Amino acid sequence: QLQLVESGGGLVQPGGSLRLSCAASGFTLEYLHIGWFRQAPGKGREGLSCISSSTGSTMYADSVKGRFTISRDNAKNTVYLQMNSLKPEDTAVYYCGPVSGGRYCAFVPVGSWGQGTQVTVSS
């Protein structure tokens, strides 16, 4: 059974950090472009970052560039999103999953995605 599980969310103060994990079972993340998206209440899903399968190159939305870092641990079949300097506007449910792309990933979700993990940034 193909499954993705996000974890690592929680409540953090503005300026704080969290590391989200995206663990896969039933398939190998290494061979897919993987992206992180988020959805805040009343808003659409926003692409944040993705990492390409073969090149390992990364891409970031302007809203998180310089604050978030995506990485992959192939041995653990897990993709991470390190989030620093968090702001209240980062509050959302965060999702990971496969995204489309050729040589490089793109912010276009495809296939099955996880249930998400809640991130709340508040003092």
Side-chain angles (χ1 to χ4, degrees):
Q1 181 179 359
L2 307 183
Q3 190 174 15
L4 280 167
V5 178
E6 301 94 337
S7 62
L11 174 64
V12 63
Q13 292 186 343
S17 298
L18 284 174
R19 188 177 78 158
L20 305 183
S21 299
C22 173
S25 59
F27 67 101
T28 304
L29 284 177
E30 178 182 0
Y31 302 124
L32 299 173
H33 300 325
I34 298 296
W36 282 96
F37 282 63
R38 69 185 176 190
Q39 188 162 17
K43 295 187 177 181
R45 191 167 290 195
E46 177 188 10
L48 303 176
S49 181
C50 64
I51 184 165
S52 299
S53 57
S54 58
T55 65
S57 62
T58 57
M59 191 165 68
Y60 298 92
D62 288 343
S63 59
V64 303
K65 196 173 296 182
R67 300 188 299 124
F68 291 10
T69 302
I70 192 171
S71 62
R72 184 172 60 210
D73 185 334
N74 293 333
K76 295 183 177 180
N77 207 23
T78 300
V79 170
Y80 302 98
L81 186 68
Q82 177 67 42
M83 306 188 297
N84 298 328
S85 302
L86 283 163
K87 306 174 182 179
E89 51 264 43
D90 293 318
T91 296
V93 178
Y94 284 68
Y95 303 87
C96 71
V99 294
S100 69
R103 179 173 175 80
Y104 301 103
C105 61
F107 288 157
V108 180
V110 297
S112 299
W113 282 62
Q115 295 301 306
T117 185
Q118 175 71 47
V119 171
T120 302
V121 184
S122 174
S123 54

